[in-house]
Every structure is written in structure tokens, then in C-alpha cells.
Amino acid sequence: LGRQAELDFTAWQLAVLGDNGAVYALDPVGGNARTRLLAVVNLGGRVAGFAEDPGRETFYAALPDTGEVAEIDARRWVERRRIPVGGRPARLALDASGAHLWVGQDGRDGATAQVALVERATGSVVARHEAGPGPHALAAAGAGLAVSASPSGVALLRAGTEARPLPGLGGGFAEAVWSPLAELVLLLDRGEGKAVAVRPDGRPVASWQVAPGAAGLFLDPTGRLLMVPEPDERRVTVVDLGRGTVAHRVSLEGRPRRVGFSRAQAYVQHEEGGRLSLIALNSLVEGGRPAVATIAAGDGGLGAADDALGATVATAPGDGAMLIASP
């Protein structure tokens, strides 16, 4: 007892990206009486985007102040190399083939108007696609294919060819996600208050009204339900991608900002307070009535100026166990 095995087939680790430019590897299940911290990878600068490839045990972090992307070994928790991409890299998206990494820009002074395509094997930039001024939101939509959305518009990016602008969609886009189940790229225009669905060939197929100032796009684990937190309305709009309709507009007690998921629940985090709203996913089926509960988690909310790069809720080992970051 108390001795850690040389090789643990039940090992489970959590990566936490700090706002100080460090990646913390934790063992929430094991550890010891003093600490659950396994390693710290100090990147030496603010991180503006990340991507992970669990199958290859690799983690990427964009460093806008140095114009680089850091590649981290997620088995040994050490930095493998720095990939110079130029400008101010931010959002990252892994290509479906696993061979490439798409790198967008943050749109600040010194940023370029290009999305870079990095070959992972060599760590070199093999193409630069003109995508207009950023910040660029990226969604990998198939092997060698991505969609870039920004305040200047939407562009279809394909390896080996020039970027193709998609006219008629408008501008002001701030988020882009890919649903493998629906085979759709989902875009959020916060200013106009709309979510747009686009096919991988660039053809728009649907648009749904959401509140202006919506906080983001969050897909449930199946890829069918799209959740859009609307802080000013104190609600979450739920789009059923299988039917192509708004299924629910779920009223909440607080101002929702981010959504994380277990297999059965959506965990909605709020700007203020130390409580989360839980929405049962099986209650969001056609004709269902949303079942909402609340739990306490920490002493405060995410804050109006929250700049987390993703949902700060993660699944843990065990049936229904969750880990929640409390800033």
C-alpha cells in the first residue's frame, strides 16, 4: 500500500491550462496526501488556443506573444518543440486525418489575416490561407478541410487550394464547431444573434435565431444537441440538429456562460455565484420538458470577463463523476 506501480493501466490524468501560461497535469484520483500535481509545463507566455490528440498523447498550445505553437508530450508532460507560425496564433483545430493542424490568428495588432496549415510530422507550415482579419474561429470539417469564421466573414479552407470565401453569410462570426453526427459546421454571429449551419462544401442549410451576445456554441457528447448560452436572457437555447429546429429555450436562475457535459447531464456555468445549473439531456428529446436542477461548486462564478478557452467542466472516472474548475 502507498507504492505507485511502475506501469498503471488505470491511470487517469487531468490537464489544466492556467492563465499564467502553464499547463498543470493532475492526478485527481490517485496522488498522495500532499499533492495531486504530477507535472508543470511552463510555456512562458499567455495561451490563446489549444488542441489535443488523446490517441497520440499530444497537446498543442498557441502562444500569440511569440508567434509560436507549443507541442507537448501528454505522456511524459514535457514540451517537445516550438512551431513558429508567425503573427499572433490563437484558435487551433486538428485535421480529421491527424496529419495537420489548422492555426488561426487572434486579430490583435501584429496578427496576420491568414490561417496556417502545419504539417505535424515535420512541424512546418505547409500552406497559408487568406481568411480576412481575425480573430479566426476554426472548425475542422474533414480530412484536409476546415472552415474559418471571423468578423470579416466565412471562408472554406482546403489543403492544396486557395481559400474560398462563402458570401451571403454575413460577418461578425465568433465561434465555429463541427458536428460529426450531423456533418455540419455550426457558426455563431453574436452581433446579429444567429447560429448558422454550413455543409462541408460551403452550402448553408439552416439558421436559428438566438439572443445577441450569446456566449458560445456547445455540442452534447452525441453531437446532436447544440446548446447556446444567452447571458442577457438568462437562458440556454437548445437546437436539435437531427430535426433542424430549436427544441427548447431553457430559462435559468443566472447568466450562463459555458456548458460542459457528462453522459447524462449538461453542466451550465454562470457568470456570478457559486452554483451550476444541471439540465438532464434525456429531458430535451422531442416533446420533453427540460429538467433543471442546481448544485453548488466553488465560491464564485466565472466572471463577466471570463476568458477560458473551453468548458471548465470535465468528466472523471466513475459513473457520473465530474470535475469542475472554480476560478
Side-chain angles (χ1 to χ4, degrees):
L1 294 176
R3 293 185 60 188
Q4 188 169 357
E6 292 285 335
L7 183 62
D8 187 351
F9 289 102
T10 62
W12 190 93
Q13 297 174 3
L14 175 72
V16 178
L17 187 61
D19 60 6
N20 59 350
V23 177
Y24 299 87
L26 307 175
D27 181 358
V29 178
N32 55 51
R34 293 185 301 105
T35 180
R36 298 183 185 273
L37 182 65
L38 299 174
V40 179
V41 183
N42 189 357
L43 300 176
R46 185 180 65 87
V47 175
F50 76 96
E52 59 177 337
D53 186 348
R56 295 176 176 84
E57 297 181 302
T58 301
F59 185 94
Y60 292 95
L63 304 171
D65 296 334
T66 62
E68 299 172 314
V69 173
E71 181 180 294
I72 299 169
D73 183 331
R75 175 188 286 270
R76 297 182 296 134
W77 292 110
V78 295
E79 185 178 324
R80 288 189 186 129
R81 59 184 173 182
R82 296 284 177 104
I83 303 171
V85 296
R88 295 182 57 84
R91 303 285 187 92
L92 305 177
L94 281 170
D95 187 77
S97 68
H100 294 91
L101 177 73
W102 299 94
V103 184
Q105 296 276 312
D106 69 2
R108 299 185 182 184
D109 290 342
T112 72
Q114 299 172 326
V115 171
L117 182 62
V118 173
E119 185 178 65
R120 293 176 62 185
T122 62
S124 59
V125 176
V126 295
R128 297 186 186 275
H129 296 267
E130 294 293 337
H136 302 128
L138 295 172
L145 184 66
V147 170
S148 169
S150 72
S152 58
V154 182
L156 188 66
L157 314 178
R158 192 182 298 274
T161 64
E162 295 184 357
R164 176 163 71 92
L166 301 181
L169 294 179
F173 291 100
E175 299 288 340
V177 297
W178 165 251
S179 170
L181 180 69
E183 295 186 334
L184 292 172
V185 175
L186 306 163
L187 309 172
L188 174 64
D189 186 331
R190 288 177 175 154
E192 293 291 330
K194 64 179 180 180
V196 179
V198 178
R199 292 288 185 197
D201 60 4
R203 178 169 52 95
V205 294
S207 177
W208 304 282
Q209 194 70 32
V210 298
L217 301 175
F218 300 88
L219 280 170
D220 83 318
T222 69
R224 174 170 178 167
L225 297 178
L226 175 68
M227 294 197 165
V228 186
E230 299 164 308
D232 293 341
E233 303 294 325
R234 292 178 175 261
R235 73 183 184 195
V236 171
T237 287
V238 182
V239 178
D240 185 336
L241 299 177
R243 295 187 292 129
T245 61
V246 172
H248 300 281
R249 299 193 189 271
V250 185
S251 297
L252 302 172
E253 296 179 0
R255 293 170 55 86
R257 295 294 300 180
R258 300 189 176 277
V259 186
F261 297 93
S262 67
R263 290 191 299 271
Q265 302 274 0
Y267 287 71
V268 183
Q269 294 178 279
H270 301 276
E271 288 181 2
E272 71 290 329
R275 302 184 71 80
L276 278 76
S277 297
L278 273 63
I279 306 174
L281 294 177
N282 61 7
S283 71
L284 301 176
V285 298
E286 185 175 358
R289 183 176 179 179
V292 182
T294 60
I295 61 171
D299 298 324
L302 295 176
D306 164 55
D307 59 356
L309 301 180
T312 51
V313 174
T315 56
D319 187 15
M322 300 293 289
L323 292 160
I324 302 167
S326 174

